[in-house]
């Protein structure tokens, strides 16, 4: 009975037209100041503030060298990799990898859709050939991303991803 009364009041309030108490509020403008820092720097700062490790590489060969160095330091020996582009990088690094996870898989190496500068977040989608099960079952995750994938906010990331993905 009390629940019904509350729901009835909510319904009545939603049906009544009321003037906007904040007519000058702009819902279209960006919330984040895009002029303060480069998006690459902002992403790296936010990502590392959350405890992520970030290594910036200028090229794929540099990524290969950095990956070999980190893998040796961490004692990684085998990676899950379901994407051909990464598979060739790992092959060039002479690093053992497979398209499945087993008991001796130390990490997953994957691509992402977008890097979101305003929060230091990484966006994945269901249209990628990675498996949620594989990524979550690995203790270590290496994400290979490119500067062209960095966007300011989630709204921009969603728009760009939607434009790339066929319906």
């Amino acid at each position: 009975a009390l629940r019904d009364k509350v729901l009835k009041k909510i319904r009545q309030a939603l049906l009544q037209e009321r003037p906007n108490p904040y007519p000058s509020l702009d819902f279209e403008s960006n919330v984040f100041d895009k002029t303060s820092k480069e998006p690459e720097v902002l992403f790296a700062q936010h990502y590392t503030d959350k405890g992520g490790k970030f290594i910036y590489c200028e090229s794929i060969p540099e990524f290969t060298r950095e990956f070999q160095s980190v893998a040796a330091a961490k004692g990684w020996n085998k990676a899950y990799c379901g994407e051909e582009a990464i598979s060739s990088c790992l092959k060039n690094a002479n690093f053992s990898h497979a398209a499945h996870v087993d008991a001796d898989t130390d990490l997953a190496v994957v691509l992402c859709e977008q890097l979101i500068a305003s929060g230091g977040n990484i966006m994945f989608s269901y249209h990628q050939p990675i498996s949620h099960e594989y990524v979550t079952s690995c203790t270590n995750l290496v994400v290979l991303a490119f500067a062209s994938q960095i966007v300011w906010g989630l709204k921009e990331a969603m728009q760009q991803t939607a434009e790339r993905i066929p319906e």
Side-chain angles (χ1 to χ4, degrees):
L2 179 62
R3 180 177 177 261
D4 292 335
K5 282 183 181 181
V6 171
L7 289 174
K8 185 177 181 180
K9 286 183 180 183
I10 292 172
R11 189 176 309 111
Q12 287 172 346
L14 290 172
L15 293 174
Q16 292 176 352
E17 290 268 341
R18 296 187 190 235
N20 183 353
Y22 308 103
S24 62
L25 191 60
D26 181 7
F27 287 101
E28 298 302 318
S29 296
N30 286 316
V31 177
F32 303 103
D33 178 16
K34 291 186 176 185
T35 60
S36 63
K37 296 180 183 175
E38 293 295 316
E40 295 86 353
V41 173
L42 193 60
F43 171 80
Q45 286 178 336
H46 285 265
Y47 186 71
T48 55
D49 287 347
K50 292 179 177 184
K53 307 292 185 228
F54 181 85
I55 299 173
Y56 181 83
C57 301
E58 292 281 337
S59 64
I60 296 295
E62 184 180 356
F63 165 77
T64 303
R65 287 190 302 276
E66 289 291 337
F67 180 79
Q68 287 172 319
S69 174
V70 170
K74 298 283 186 182
W76 296 337
N77 296 308
K78 186 177 179 184
Y80 156 73
C81 170
E83 302 174 62
E84 185 55 41
I86 297 175
S87 182
S88 64
C89 287
L90 295 177
K91 186 176 182 181
N92 290 340
N94 295 318
F95 195 83
S96 177
H97 60 283
H100 60 278
V101 175
D102 52 32
D104 60 340
T105 301
D106 298 309
L107 73 150
V109 184
V110 298
L111 295 172
C112 68
E113 289 290 348
Q114 302 286 330
L115 301 175
I116 303 170
S118 62
N121 299 315
I122 300 172
M123 184 171 142
F124 298 98
S125 80
Y126 285 106
H127 296 280
Q128 294 177 269
I130 61 172
S131 166
H132 175 76
E133 179 183 330
Y134 289 163
V135 172
T136 57
S137 66
C138 291
T139 306
N140 304 293
L141 179 65
V142 173
V143 179
L144 175 59
F146 300 91
S148 62
Q149 292 175 279
I150 298 177
V151 296
W152 281 102
L154 181 59
K155 182 178 179 181
E156 188 180 352
M158 298 292 280
Q159 287 172 338
Q160 287 186 16
T161 301
E163 289 169 6
R164 275 197 317 276
I165 297 172
E167 290 185 29

